[in-house]
Amino acid sequence: MKLSRQELDAVIAASPRTFVPFNKLVISPNYQVRQEDAAAAMPLSELAASIDAAGLLHNLVVVRGARGLHEVCAGGRRLRAMAMLVEQGRWPENQPVPVLVVPAEQALMASLIENVEREALHPVDEFTAFARLIDAGRSVEDVAAVFGVTPQVVKRRLKLAAVSPALLTLFREGGIGLDCLMVLASIDDPARQEELWQQLPEWNRSAEQLRRMLTRGEVESDRDGLAIFVTVPAYEAAGGPLRRDLFSDEGKAYLQDVALLERLAVDKLQEPAREIAAEGWKWVDVRARWVYEDYMRHGEVRRVRRVPNEEQAARQAQLEAELESLHERMEALSDEEGKEDESALLEKDEDRLQGELNALDEALTDFPSDLMAQAGCLVYVGRSGAVEVKRGLVRPEDRDALVQAARQSTTAETGAGSSLVSLPKGGARSVHSEKLMRSLTAHRVAAIRAELLLRPDVALAAITAQLACKLLKDGFRRYRGCDEWLTVSATETHDALRRECADMADAEAWKLMEQTRIEWIARLPEDGAALLPWLLAQERTTVVELLTFLVASSVTGVDGVERERQSTDALAHALALDMRRWWKAGAASYFNHVSKATILAAVTEAAGANAAAPLSGLKKEGSAAGAEQLLAESGWLPRCLRTQPPAGRSRGMQEEQQAAASGGDGGREYESVDADQVD
């Protein structure tokens, strides 16, 4: 229902304005159109605080009732807010309230006009109004008190008011959501805010994607173990820069100096490390985090279980008997009704007894003291932010001495034939860590995808070969050795590939695929049911181009293990892939993540021993930077990025490589060393 402005003006002109004591005002049972609990933009407590601070800026609309009362037909929430002030003793009961008195026959129309024609304040207007109050000299606390909100709420609105004017205009028009605006508000530079928004692809303009882009290289205070362990106050006291999230109720912050955070963590770990060293270990390493690759060639000393003495054995038997009796009682109660309280008590008793039994069992297991002298520990911060200790690690150079100690260890304590030590299986040590290998092979996959865009012939042959490998087989015949170079089941791997390495979004191959993806999304019909008819109506070249892009998008092959062959080798060879077009070895992309010996070997291979010699006397950082300069124009590639020619393989080799591709060789394997079997 929409009433004219002329009708409203006529009602107002004919109605007197006056003041009525608060205790003479009641909610009209007949003319109040807004329901009691209708949704309101401002909570009642905030409205009361605003009225108390600034007065009632907009009069109530009333009709005269019986016994000197006035019935409120427009302004019920304001009346309830004033009642709150009276109840709290901030207003007297006879506080004069401005009212507009309308005739009873026009009261319903007046109530409708006020509620129907009232337009809600746009959030941008609210943000800017708060900012103007602050600019006029009001403090954050004053503004908070006037509107009955916390200072934190005022600060949030001020932050939103400072967002780029172009983005605020876009927000008014519905082109950006409030959730995205709040993420962008955490950046103080309006130009950077606009740049980030423009970088988002139209199909993924979400707050979560914005947050991922914004927090690259930063550490979350409430989720990262190091940040929890060090604490934000300690990090700030050390001069660490951070960015606070005003829109987080938990006071979340993003720590920006990772090196400082790790140094503070290592310093704080020194005290628990000294306590661990007192246990009798040969060495104790202190690291901010546990990095598997740093210790993958270490062996481990195993705990041994001592024979319990008479007292320990008796206590163990007693605990086991009590637990068995408790379990019988709990099982009997499960068939009875109304025994929930007793069952809960029994469960607590069970936890107590089991905890004591576990503690007794752990007290009976320990590391052999004679082997501890050849092993060590790593003290580090776990994912939850607690100090964690990995005991019994054996350095490669200590293996021989430890084996001799294991041979000489008496069996009285451990029992004959018990395995005391586990050592990594032999074999050449990997040059690249799992993380680096995944990053490098991700770049290779991205490059193959980009190259495939220009080779529909290879794309068509690839998907045909993949389907033949999967479908043309039976119990007697199958295509052996088919590498899974395509995820023909149409598994979405787009975002997963980007997450494999930090610099993927800057890679030219990725940018080419991303742009092509955006273009196809814009061309294709939004309705899935219309897709097939649309394709049937297109030229053959259009369908082939789309198929080529989809085949390219399905290329897989990221691997964290160095292998003789990669699953993408056949595609790479078919495309004559040259990774020098798509990737360059630099300090950030490669040399910072490998050993100094690997750096020198790369420079020697690409530029000669004379070029590598000066780098040998530098620290790791210097040699990495020097290698980047020396190899800038060389086109040198690590072996895993070089295109290997296809080679014939025997059936045995095929089966071994299939097992490797499924992860059979990817984990850490050990061979046990027994005290009574050492040669």
Side-chain angles (χ1 to χ4, degrees):
M1 178 179 181
K2 187 76 171 177
L3 299 179
S4 69
R5 173 56 59 182
Q6 290 79 8
E7 290 176 305
L8 175 61
D9 291 341
V11 171
I12 293 175
S15 303
R17 297 181 184 274
T18 185
F19 287 87
V20 174
F22 169 78
N23 55 11
K24 296 296 183 179
L25 294 170
V26 294
I27 295 291
S28 174
N30 301 314
Y31 306 119
Q32 178 73 26
V33 299
R34 188 177 292 275
Q35 296 301 309
E36 180 79 11
D37 293 324
M42 182 185 294
L44 206 60
S45 59
E46 295 183 20
L47 181 59
S50 177
I51 294 173
D52 189 36
L56 189 65
L57 302 179
H58 188 55
N59 57 255
L60 308 182
V61 178
V62 302
V63 296
R64 289 188 176 88
R67 299 184 299 279
L69 297 177
H70 286 73
E71 297 181 7
V72 178
C73 54
R77 289 193 72 251
R78 281 166 282 164
L79 183 65
R80 288 192 293 276
M82 288 183 282
M84 183 180 292
L85 295 175
V86 171
E87 291 173 3
Q88 295 172 353
R90 295 156 70 182
W91 268 25
E93 289 188 357
N94 60 351
Q95 171 76 28
V97 177
V99 299
L100 176 69
V101 184
V102 298
E105 61 271 17
Q106 294 175 323
L108 185 58
M109 182 178 71
S111 180
L112 276 170
I113 289 173
E114 171 161 300
N115 289 286
V116 172
E117 293 199 350
R118 183 172 58 193
E119 183 177 356
L121 192 67
H122 193 279
V124 174
D125 296 325
E126 183 181 346
F127 306 156
T128 53
F130 271 59
R132 289 171 63 185
L133 287 172
I134 298 299
D135 292 341
R138 304 292 291 269
S139 69
V140 169
E141 289 72 19
D142 287 342
V143 175
V146 168
F147 290 94
V149 297
T150 65
Q152 178 79 343
V153 171
V154 177
K155 291 176 182 177
R156 289 174 179 173
R157 293 174 183 173
L158 294 176
K159 201 72 172 174
L160 288 166
V163 169
S164 158
L167 292 175
L168 289 179
T169 299
L170 191 63
F171 176 50
R172 283 184 183 275
E173 298 170 352
I176 182 174
L178 181 60
D179 54 347
C180 290
L181 207 67
M182 289 191 293
V183 175
L184 292 170
S186 64
I187 312 171
D188 294 329
D189 182 4
R192 176 61 175 156
Q193 294 169 352
E194 295 178 22
E195 179 186 359
L196 271 178
W197 179 251
Q198 292 301 325
Q199 287 177 0
L200 280 179
E202 292 186 5
W203 55 271
N204 192 20
R205 286 187 162 175
S206 64
E208 186 59 33
Q209 178 63 15
L210 265 178
R211 194 172 289 108
R212 279 197 295 266
M213 293 173 61
L214 186 60
T215 58
R216 287 174 184 164
E218 298 180 336
V219 171
E220 298 180 65
S221 62
D222 60 339
R223 298 182 64 181
D224 185 86
L226 286 188
I228 296 171
F229 177 68
V230 171
T231 73
V232 171
Y235 172 82
E236 283 190 287
L242 54 77
R243 182 172 55 83
R244 292 193 179 276
D245 185 357
L246 276 177
F247 299 95
S248 168
D249 294 332
E250 295 78 25
K252 185 170 185 170
Y254 295 91
L255 285 56
Q256 298 171 318
D257 191 337
V258 179
L260 173 61
L261 180 65
E262 291 181 348
R263 188 164 65 250
L264 293 173
V266 170
D267 291 344
K268 190 174 180 180
L269 287 169
Q270 296 303 318
E271 181 58 34
R274 282 190 285 270
E275 297 176 4
I276 300 299
E279 296 176 3
W281 299 99
K282 180 179 180 179
W283 53 269
V284 175
D285 278 354
V286 178
R287 301 284 182 89
R289 304 180 191 271
W290 159 256
V291 180
Y292 166 75
E293 289 81 6
D294 292 345
Y295 294 90
M296 63 186 300
R297 302 309 300 170
H298 284 55
E300 292 187 20
V301 175
R302 293 176 176 170
R303 290 177 179 267
V304 294
R305 193 176 191 281
R306 299 191 309 273
V307 177
N309 58 33
E310 186 176 342
E311 180 180 351
Q312 292 169 330
R315 181 54 180 161
Q316 186 175 20
Q318 179 185 359
L319 289 171
E320 291 173 348
E322 290 182 15
L323 273 173
E324 184 177 356
S325 175
L326 191 65
H327 290 157
E328 291 175 357
R329 176 57 182 156
M330 292 174 69
E331 186 176 352
L333 281 178
S334 64
D335 297 329
E336 300 181 27
E337 295 182 1
K339 298 291 185 177
E340 290 80 7
D341 292 343
E342 186 177 351
S343 295
L345 292 175
L346 292 177
E347 288 177 2
K348 290 183 179 180
D349 288 341
E350 180 189 28
D351 292 340
R352 176 182 56 79
L353 292 172
Q354 189 63 58
E356 188 176 346
L357 186 60
N358 292 341
L360 178 59
D361 189 65
E362 186 166 340
L364 291 172
T365 61
D366 208 346
F367 295 96
S369 56
D370 49 350
L371 300 188
M372 289 173 63
Q374 302 298 332
C377 303
L378 171 65
V379 182
Y380 63 100
V381 179
R383 293 183 179 180
S384 65
V387 177
E388 295 190 14
V389 182
K390 196 164 185 64
R391 291 176 169 85
L393 294 171
V394 182
R395 287 173 172 164
E397 60 267 27
D398 292 331
R399 289 180 187 174
D400 291 342
L402 187 114
V403 166
Q404 293 301 321
R407 178 193 298 177
Q408 298 168 7
S409 180
T410 60
T411 60
E413 184 180 14
T414 63
S418 298
S419 297
L420 301 177
V421 184
S422 58
L423 299 175
K425 282 190 174 181
R429 181 173 182 173
S430 298
V431 174
H432 305 119
S433 68
E434 179 183 0
K435 182 178 180 181
L436 179 57
M437 276 300 300
R438 295 192 70 84
S439 176
L440 294 174
T441 53
H443 276 288
R444 178 180 162 104
V445 168
I448 291 175
R449 290 181 174 187
E451 294 276 4
L452 265 176
L453 289 179
L454 303 177
R455 295 293 303 275
D457 57 326
V458 176
L460 184 59
I463 193 169
T464 304
Q466 189 70 69
L467 289 172
C469 286
K470 288 180 174 292
L471 302 177
L472 297 181
K473 61 184 181 181
D474 54 37
F476 302 98
R477 181 190 63 172
R478 62 177 300 171
Y479 284 86
R480 298 211 175 256
C482 277
D483 291 320
E484 292 284 336
W485 63 67
L486 301 179
T487 53
V488 291
S489 59
T491 301
E492 201 284 318
T493 61
H494 184 71
D495 289 330
L497 183 64
R498 179 173 48 189
R499 291 193 295 269
E500 291 293 352
C501 51
D503 61 344
M504 178 58 75
D506 299 324
E508 292 303 318
W510 172 267
K511 291 178 181 177
L512 178 59
M513 285 294 294
E514 179 72 3
Q515 182 59 38
T516 307
R517 179 186 181 89
I518 293 171
E519 292 171 359
W520 274 115
I521 290 175
R523 289 180 64 182
L524 296 176
E526 294 184 4
D527 184 5
L531 185 57
L532 181 57
W534 184 87
L535 285 169
L536 291 172
Q538 304 303 308
E539 296 290 337
R540 180 177 181 276
T541 54
T542 300
V543 179
V544 171
E545 287 175 4
L546 176 56
L547 175 63
T548 301
F549 167 72
L550 295 174
V551 171
S553 298
S554 71
V555 174
T556 186
V558 178
D559 197 344
V561 179
E562 296 182 66
R563 306 189 190 280
E564 185 67 24
R565 291 187 67 259
Q566 297 185 52
S567 62
T568 50
D569 280 351
L571 272 177
H573 185 264
L575 295 166
L577 176 68
D578 185 353
M579 281 299 297
R580 292 174 296 184
R581 292 183 53 201
W582 306 104
W583 185 87
K584 179 183 288 188
S589 65
Y590 184 76
F591 296 117
N592 287 342
H593 310 287
V594 296
S595 66
K596 185 176 176 181
T598 301
I599 295 174
L600 297 177
V603 175
T604 300
E605 180 185 11
N610 291 336
L615 302 183
S616 62
L618 302 177
K619 291 185 177 181
K620 167 72 178 295
E621 293 78 5
S623 61
E628 179 175 14
Q629 294 178 352
L630 288 169
L631 304 188
E633 304 301 328
S634 69
W636 179 87
L637 295 171
R639 186 181 181 282
C640 60
L641 293 186
R642 301 174 191 178
T643 300
Q644 305 295 328
R649 296 172 294 173
S650 67
R651 178 170 176 175
M653 289 176 61
Q654 292 171 355
E655 292 175 349
E656 288 176 7
Q657 289 174 349
Q658 286 177 336
S662 66
D665 296 331
R668 182 179 181 182
E669 296 187 10
Y670 293 96
E671 50 191 6
S672 296
V673 178
D674 291 352
D676 54 353
Q677 296 177 350
V678 177
D679 294 327

